[in-house]
């Protein structure tokens, strides 16, 4: 398994790539939904930012608090969870979730919102990484599909998730290019 320092470095490289990619899109392009009614590029960015800040990193914090209180419960990882951590990445497949108010990200208000959001995630990842060395693997918070994940695993999940969505970004960019050609 990759170390948290290596994951942080890979995450920073991926996040820098996302920031660089943002430069080439207008707000209208960021809000343009694909022909299959999937998410726009802007919604994908919103998803990455929100899932990191309000799910993954929040659960890292929860695992760390449990460690300090010595009350952590250990929940087993599911077969799917064990598989992605053994592989070090999500499978290179498209995951589609039916549109819903709870899950479908809102369109961005402006590019600055996305840039600031990505910088906030980068900052939080850098702040959290040093504390992971002290985190107990026994303290877990359950993921809806992957089962109980430790602070370190939730942290690694952020990097894997950002890397996984590079495929979606490539697909969405290709669709934008073909529509303007």
């Amino acid at each position: 398994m990759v170390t948290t320092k290596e994951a942080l470095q890979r995450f920073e490289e991926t996040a820098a790539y996302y920031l660089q990619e943002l430069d080439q899109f207008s707000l209208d392009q960021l809000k343009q939904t694909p022909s299959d009614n999937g998410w726009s590029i802007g919604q994908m960015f919103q998803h990455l930012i929100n899932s990191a800040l309000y799910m993954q990193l929040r659960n890292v914090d929860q695992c760390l608090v449990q460690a300090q209180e010595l009350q952590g419960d250990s929940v087993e990882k599911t077969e799917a969870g064990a598989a992605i951590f053994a592989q070090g990445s999500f499978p290179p497949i498209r995951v589609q979730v039916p549109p819903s108010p709870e899950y479908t990200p809102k369109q961005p208000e402006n590019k600055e919102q996305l840039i600031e959001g990505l910088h906030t995630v980068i900052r939080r990842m850098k702040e959290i990484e040093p504390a992971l060395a002290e985190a107990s693997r026994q303290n877990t918070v359950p993921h809806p599909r992957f089962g109980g994940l430790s602070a370190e695993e939730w942290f690694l999940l952020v990097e894997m998730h950002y890397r996984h969505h590079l495929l979606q970004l490539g697909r969405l960019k290709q669709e934008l290019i073909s529509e303007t050609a």
Side-chain angles (χ1 to χ4, degrees):
M1 187 155 67
V2 68
T3 68
T4 57
K5 287 195 184 316
E6 292 166 334
L8 178 59
Q9 181 178 350
R10 285 199 324 208
F11 169 77
E12 288 181 280
E13 290 166 3
T14 304
Y17 177 77
Y18 279 123
L19 286 163
Q20 181 181 355
E21 288 291 299
L22 266 176
D23 280 343
Q24 63 185 293
F25 301 114
S26 68
L27 184 59
D28 286 342
Q29 288 173 318
L30 288 170
K31 290 182 170 187
Q32 187 173 331
T33 54
S35 57
D36 65 3
N37 295 321
W39 293 347
S40 68
I41 293 172
Q43 286 173 299
M44 184 203 76
F45 274 91
Q46 293 278 56
H47 166 71
L48 287 171
I49 293 162
N50 292 338
S51 60
L53 293 176
Y54 305 115
M55 180 188 186
Q56 296 148 345
L57 295 175
R58 188 191 63 177
N59 287 333
V60 169
D61 289 337
Q62 188 61 42
C63 289
L64 294 173
V65 167
Q66 287 176 350
Q68 292 170 356
E69 295 174 358
L70 302 173
Q71 296 176 1
D73 295 324
S74 185
V75 176
E76 292 298 311
K77 233 187 272 20
T78 63
E79 195 173 306
I84 67 147
F85 283 98
Q87 188 173 309
S89 65
F90 291 101
I93 57 171
R94 185 173 177 188
V95 178
Q96 275 192 291
V97 180
S100 70
E102 306 85 47
Y103 193 72
T104 303
K106 292 188 182 347
Q107 290 285 7
E109 294 175 23
N110 51 54
K111 282 174 73 167
E112 292 72 28
Q113 175 187 17
L114 301 177
I115 293 165
E116 181 55 39
L118 285 169
H119 282 293
T120 300
V121 176
I122 294 166
R123 186 175 63 251
R124 289 282 293 129
M125 290 285 283
K126 288 179 177 180
E127 290 169 0
I128 286 174
E129 193 278 331
L132 297 173
E134 305 299 317
S136 168
R137 291 178 169 264
Q138 301 306 308
N139 296 324
T140 63
V141 172
H143 181 282
R145 183 153 180 253
F146 304 138
L149 303 181
S150 67
E152 179 181 350
E153 290 165 330
W154 278 108
F155 184 86
L156 296 174
L157 194 64
V158 176
E159 187 276 327
M160 286 191 273
H161 188 224
Y162 272 61
R163 193 166 17 107
H164 177 73
H165 276 280
L166 290 170
L167 297 170
Q168 181 182 14
L169 179 60
R171 185 177 44 75
L172 291 171
K173 277 176 54 177
Q174 195 58 46
E175 188 159 326
L176 266 180
I177 291 166
S178 64
E179 286 180 6
T180 57

